[in-house]
Amino acid sequence: MTDDVVRLWPPKPNATTPIKCLGPMVRANSTALRILALESGADMVYSEELIARRMEVTQFRLNETLGTADWLDANGKSVALRVDPARERGRLVVQFGAADGDVAARAAEAVAPYAAGVDLNMGCPKPFSAGNGMGSALMRDPARAASIVKAMRRATPADVAVTAKIRLRETEAATMDVCRALQAAGAAAIAVHCRYVGDDPPKDPPQLPSQRSLFSRLRSEHAAFREDCALLANGDLYTPAAVAAACAGEGRADGVLVARPALLDCSAIFRTDADRRPRLAVLRDYMRLARRYDAHHKNAKYVVMEMLAKRRHPAAAYGPFNAADPLPGRVTISAVSTAKSLRAIDDILGVDDIVETRPLVDARDAISRDDRAYSDAYFADDDARAASLKRPREGAG
């Protein structure tokens, strides 16, 4: 990496300016959302979690049409990872789900030329991850987690940071054991989701005091967390003020990962209030980027529906957005769910200024398949819930 790239990763302990990152979200963190976050003011962006074993059967290709580096699935058509080196150079952290150090090392080595960092997912509680020894299963096995981090560290250049994203264990001492093992194995930063293993946001409340206490104790008892290994906060930081508070005072974080709040409104979380863009403009910006990076329409539809949905957010978080910045009545989850193309989503959002700055992807580069399931039923209750909130209660005066 040349000197003209400002080095932001890994974040430094006790840095004057905390780092703001788009946190990893499965399905959502494809190229378009990552670039949207960067344009909105994020310092760094994470990829969605990629299963390390999947990367072993991908085909790497430089996509000259889009100016991207692509890792194609075994079918040669669907994209596992698409990176824009011109926009993401020095800003991208690729996250992996892995249960084996050798597999994780090969995946990390493959993406290293295009990444500022590689991250081990140790928080996902989903049965596919935990049941296969990945994700939150690693929280119960710090030695194996450390061996994976060590293998990733050996396989990547020194200027590619190795990090991990964890959750809280049942006791502070147990969580500290995990953090110490990861740091000793070579982790340059540890992000802590302020929920216990198995908790489900937003149903289960965040444990912000526990996270802050953990950071304070790690720094007071271990010089490594004052000098070498940064501690990042993750979880329910819905406003710039909340981000600032997480990075101030005793037990402060060296930076934050913002996931669901950024999906709700990238502009509101990464920009100042004075610079914030209207929600409709943010949705349109996302669709322009989805077209720019030739997103599959099913993935773009999923992300837009997530940007409209309320099911993943506490009411106190999304209420102010709706009240201060309502969307046109035509822009609903139900309407978007009928879309069968990027153009159909554009029409719903009123994107009428599409300018093709490069030719559409030719047949050789086309993404003709997306094998993942995107169920519209996942969002089905949101429009009904929104309507019920507007409807007067029976008997109300």
Side-chain angles (χ1 to χ4, degrees):
M1 187 174 297
T2 59
D3 292 339
D4 63 329
V5 175
V6 178
R7 182 171 298 285
L8 293 172
W9 203 255
K12 301 301 181 186
N14 300 309
T16 304
T17 304
I19 195 166
K20 297 179 295 183
C21 311
L22 173 69
M25 292 174 284
V26 171
R27 296 181 178 175
N29 283 39
S30 49
T31 322
L33 187 68
R34 299 197 308 267
I35 301 301
L36 178 65
L38 290 173
E39 291 183 348
S40 299
D43 297 310
M44 301 291 298
V45 291
Y46 280 63
S47 72
E48 65 174 315
E49 179 195 20
L50 301 169
I51 303 304
R53 286 197 180 278
R54 178 188 183 191
M55 297 299 291
E56 291 202 293
V57 295
T58 60
Q59 308 170 34
F60 175 75
R61 184 187 64 200
L62 290 174
N63 188 325
E64 295 181 2
T65 305
L66 296 178
T68 57
D70 295 351
W71 283 262
L72 303 180
D73 280 320
N75 60 38
K77 298 176 180 178
S78 55
V79 175
L81 175 66
R82 168 164 287 159
V83 176
D84 183 344
R87 307 290 295 278
E88 298 185 273
R89 185 161 162 257
R91 300 289 189 269
L92 174 66
V93 180
V94 180
Q95 187 185 68
F96 291 110
D100 177 89
D102 291 338
V103 175
R106 289 191 290 271
E109 184 178 21
V111 303
Y114 296 90
V118 290
D119 184 80
L120 178 63
N121 182 342
M122 295 177 56
C124 182
K126 300 298 183 183
F128 173 81
S129 288
N132 287 288
M134 301 180 290
S136 61
L138 294 173
M139 292 297 297
R140 307 289 181 188
D141 194 348
R144 185 160 58 89
S147 71
I148 296 172
V149 167
K150 187 176 294 186
M152 294 168 72
R153 178 67 281 162
R154 286 196 303 263
T156 51
D159 63 352
V160 175
V162 178
T163 63
K165 182 174 180 290
I166 72 171
R167 286 199 180 200
L168 299 169
R169 284 281 303 269
E170 61 279 0
T171 67
E172 187 170 81
T175 311
M176 288 181 68
D177 287 343
V178 174
C179 292
R180 285 197 299 264
L182 295 173
Q183 185 278 323
I190 299 171
V192 181
H193 186 166
C194 61
R195 283 184 169 86
Y196 293 103
V197 174
D199 282 358
D200 181 24
K203 179 181 67 175
D204 296 305
Q207 304 296 323
L208 293 167
S210 296
Q211 182 188 67
R212 188 172 284 270
S213 174
L214 172 71
F215 288 1
S216 179
R217 188 172 169 190
L218 281 169
R219 290 202 183 96
S220 67
E221 295 183 14
H222 304 283
F225 294 99
R226 299 191 299 270
E227 301 169 0
D228 302 315
C229 186
L231 296 169
L232 308 176
N234 172 230
D236 287 43
L237 301 171
Y238 275 89
T239 64
V243 170
C247 299
E250 182 69 20
R252 67 188 181 279
D254 298 309
V256 297
L257 270 63
V258 184
R260 290 178 298 121
L263 193 56
L264 181 62
D265 192 334
C266 254
S267 182
I269 194 66
F270 291 124
R271 292 179 182 266
T272 64
D273 288 341
D275 294 331
R276 179 186 167 193
R277 288 172 60 74
R279 287 185 67 208
L280 184 59
V282 175
L283 287 160
R284 289 170 173 171
D285 288 345
Y286 170 78
M287 283 306 301
R288 293 184 183 101
L289 290 165
R291 183 178 290 276
R292 160 67 180 83
Y293 292 106
D294 194 43
H296 194 287
H297 82 272
K298 288 195 292 183
N299 183 255
K301 182 170 84 167
Y302 171 86
V303 176
V304 169
M305 291 170 76
E306 280 282 22
M307 294 168 81
L308 296 173
K310 312 301 184 295
R311 59 182 183 80
R312 296 182 70 174
H313 312 283
Y318 67 75
F321 290 129
N322 283 355
D325 190 8
L327 293 169
R330 70 178 185 278
V331 181
T332 65
I333 291 171
S334 297
V336 176
S337 72
T338 66
K340 304 297 184 185
S341 66
L342 295 178
R343 172 53 70 186
I345 305 172
D346 288 339
D347 290 343
I348 294 167
L349 298 178
V351 183
D352 56 7
D353 59 345
I354 293 294
V355 177
E356 300 295 353
T357 57
R358 59 180 67 241
L360 290 176
V361 180
D362 61 29
R364 179 173 52 104
D365 289 328
I367 308 170
S368 59
R369 293 180 54 177
D370 187 333
D371 294 327
R372 293 182 290 187
Y374 296 89
S375 172
D376 294 346
Y378 196 52
F379 304 93
D381 293 338
D382 269 62
D383 280 339
R385 187 181 303 115
S388 71
L389 292 174
K390 298 176 183 176
R391 192 181 305 124
R393 288 176 299 166
E394 186 174 346

